[in-house]
Amino acid sequence: MRIGVVAQVFRPAVLALALVASALAQAPTVTAGWPQFRGNPQLTGAAAAVPPPALALRWTYDAGDAVGSSAAIVDGAVYVGSAKGELLAIDLETGKLRWKYATGQDGSIESSSPAAGRDAVFVGDLAGTVHAVNARDGSRLWTFKTDNEVKSSPTIAGDLVLIGSYDTHLYALDSHTGKLRWKLQTDGPVHATPAVQNGVIYLAGCDERFRAVRLADGKTLFEIPLGAYVGASTAVVGDRAYVGTFNSEVLAIDLRARKIVWRYRDPDREFPYYSSAAFDPSHQGRVIVGGRDKAVHAIDAASGKTVWKFATRARVDSSPAVAGGRVYVGSSDGKLYVLDAATGTKRWEFDAGDAITASPAISAGRVVVGSQDGRIYCFG
């Protein structure tokens, strides 16, 4: 009898622990800083440091040309690229320039967003070059030349820098030397930023495929046909991946079953999704993404059903960031919006006067974003 009673008590306890473990496995990675595009290697767009409820403009910096590159923020420094072909290091607190690095002839930084490691900052340019820059003084550490434009943003994974090129390859470079470790050829330009989780790279591509690739050697583990061109990067949360396509859909992919589990399509309008999705862990999980239908969409992560939609006045290519129950996102109508993550209600806006296609970065209670007017804005 005692054994039976113990077993009856033990089984619910084991079940409870399993449910907790499952919930933890699904929790998105949230980092204190914002070291790369989307904030972390899983590309969830989630920030740990919550900005104040009422934002105020802290400083602006004139980059001299359009800023479509999204910022990285590490150890009190903001790293961001410009169409002028410069990688800038700006003091987060004061907005003063620490240093600038010139990529060279035809080296415009269009959409590649820097990734900052302990000692180096990495970024790609339209001349097809990947740059490693000393984080302390902006001096060049090494460069690696691809055969076409680099619009992909780098992801740092251990001692590797992962980055795509329009020459159809995904590259794994040694972060210390810039030497090629391996490269993977796809059937189209590699525009998106690679997501990394548990030694596996996840990437949706312009060749209409979703790939899982082994980090160690670049071997493809599996592919899933998507039936659509993809320019967005993939958010990975536990056993699911979320990405929007140019076929007017947002997809949820089960990484274990290796299949698409739902497709979200707005019932009212059909426009492509270029914005990369963020994952809001509250309310059982929501996928939040901008659309070229001029709206921000919140989708239930379990079912793929609409939760809310917020309309702007122009397309939303900026990728949302989430923190403390709020959504931060730019629009080509020139505004930075702060929305309530639960309802989609607008809480605040700022008019930059020109399109905001870059994505907000959040760290230390600050929100940093660049604009096509050539300015970088810091709020807090």
Side-chain angles (χ1 to χ4, degrees), residues 63-67 80-88 100-110 123-127 131 140:
D65 206 339
V67 179
V80 65
S82 76
K84 193 177 180 180
E86 293 178 337
L87 175 64
L88 306 170
K100 67 171 65 175
Y101 167 88
T103 57
Q105 187 176 7
D106 302 323
S108 175
I109 300 172
E110 182 183 272
V123 74
D125 68 28
L126 295 189
H131 302 261
R140 178 174 296 177

Side-chain angles (χ1 to χ4, degrees), residues 59-74:
W59 52 259
T60 65
Y61 181 87
D62 189 350
D65 206 339
V67 179
S69 172
S70 302
I73 308 173
V74 173

